[in-house]
Amino acid sequence: MPTISNKGINMPESPIRKLVPYAEEAHKQGKTVYYLNIGQPDIKTPKVALDAVKVHSLDILAYSRSEGSENYRIKIAEYYKRNDIHVNHNDIIVTTGGSEALLFAFGSIMDEDDEIIIPEPFYANYNGFSTASGVNVVPVISKIEDNFALPPIEEFEKLITPKTKAILICNPGNPTGYLYSKEEIKKLAAIVKKHDLFLIADEVYREFVYDGVEHYSILQEPGLEEHAIIIDSVSKRYSMCGARIGYLVSKNKEVIKTALKFAQARLSPPTLAQIASEAALETPQSYFDDVKEEYVKRRNTLITELEKIEGVKVAKPNGAFYCIAELPVKNSDDFAKWLLESFDYNNNTVMVAPAAGFYSTPGVGLNQIRIAYVLNEDSLKISVKILAEALKVYKD
Ligand SMILES: Cc1ncc(COP(=O)(O)O)c(C=O)c1O
């Protein structure tokens, strides 16, 4: 019998997607499922992006350049300039989603058994990308009590070993919604410079920052040029998750040269999706203003309603469209399955992501869930009502 690799066996399931069969079963039972588990926004994709693929004049749907089409990268560099991030198109590699940018970044800077420090809870697929790259995640715990602020810098320094190659942050954070301050970025910059590490910032939610606070990118930090790698994506920015376009951005020429070899091995990012994504850069500011206003309303409604439930603790997010909620249950994995398999409120139920999969420390986050506020306010209100009713009857 041929055997599966240890790497394959150790690949973690996505906590966001692993309950899908239970949701499908709930559907078959005739229940309406409110999906709060996945960051798939219900926001419309900008028309300008969809129109671009309808009217293109291609005769052959050919490969593009491995690093992405030059025109597109020039326009991406202009987008960054508008955001006060000064890079040129040769600092950018277009990837198949931010996911591939993460894989290229890991592959370019780390070998088997190297270590990457990541504040947890973190985007669950960082575990998957680390396993796929043979890299060990060293978590530094941020706590719900502190609203998931960056742990003290000494905590990072304690974890640095000769195998440490990088620190990875997600800013603003999935799943916490935490937005790092300029001061926090400066502190991280000082550590990576002192210890000669890379600082990878996943900034795919850059536009989604609330309450008048500004996003501070690692590439705005002077002196970080050789250390900084940005992971970016069109998925959430333009509600184009299915386009599968992202980018890796770095001023470090060796990083770009190396990542390009990974890019060449997979030939090119998708051609039609680059056309749509290039057009998406023309999206008027009013689109983002409206989307932001909508997310702020949703966040406020969600947090207010969750806080009304006895025993539920929630950290208020300043960005992205997720929050972590602590529930009065022992094991949110069991609770999430139970919601789909055995519970309904007027024939409705909710699907949430158990938060343990967003931690790499075993046993942490067991009583937490991640909620994506990707549904409209009315649906969010109903969803929280369902959760509240469920918690009244659920027995651990
Ligand atoms: C923090 C973060 N990074 C990266 C990704 C990957 O996105 P994509 O591959 O769709 O660009 C996601 C998707 O949810 C995410 O939340």
Side-chain angles (χ1 to χ4, degrees), residues 170-174 177-180 202-203 205-206 208-209 215 319-320:
C170 182
N171 188 30
N174 171 7
Y178 186 76
L179 179 70
Y180 290 101
D202 182 336
E203 300 186 356
Y205 297 98
R206 179 181 303 110
F208 304 100
V209 297
H215 181 262

Side-chain angles (χ1 to χ4, degrees), residues 97-99 102 123 126 170 174 202 204-205 233 235-236 244 322:
S99 305
L102 282 157
Y123 174 50
Y126 295 163
C170 182
N174 171 7
D202 182 336
V204 306
Y205 297 98
S233 170
S235 290
K236 319 291 161 149
R244 310 309 306 130
Y322 307 96

Side-chain angles (χ1 to χ4, degrees), residues 16 38-40 95-102 122-126 129 169-175 202-205 231-236 240-247 320-322 370:
I16 304 162
I38 191 162
Q40 169 58 64
T95 53
T96 308
S99 305
E100 193 181 59
L102 282 157
F122 52 72
Y123 174 50
N125 286 328
Y126 295 163
F129 299 134
I169 58 166
C170 182
N171 188 30
N174 171 7
D202 182 336
E203 300 186 356
V204 306
Y205 297 98
I231 305 299
D232 216 333
S233 170
V234 306
S235 290
K236 319 291 161 149
M240 287 175 68
C241 295
R244 310 309 306 130
I245 293 287
Y247 353 117
F321 36 71
Y322 307 96
R370 185 195 74 166

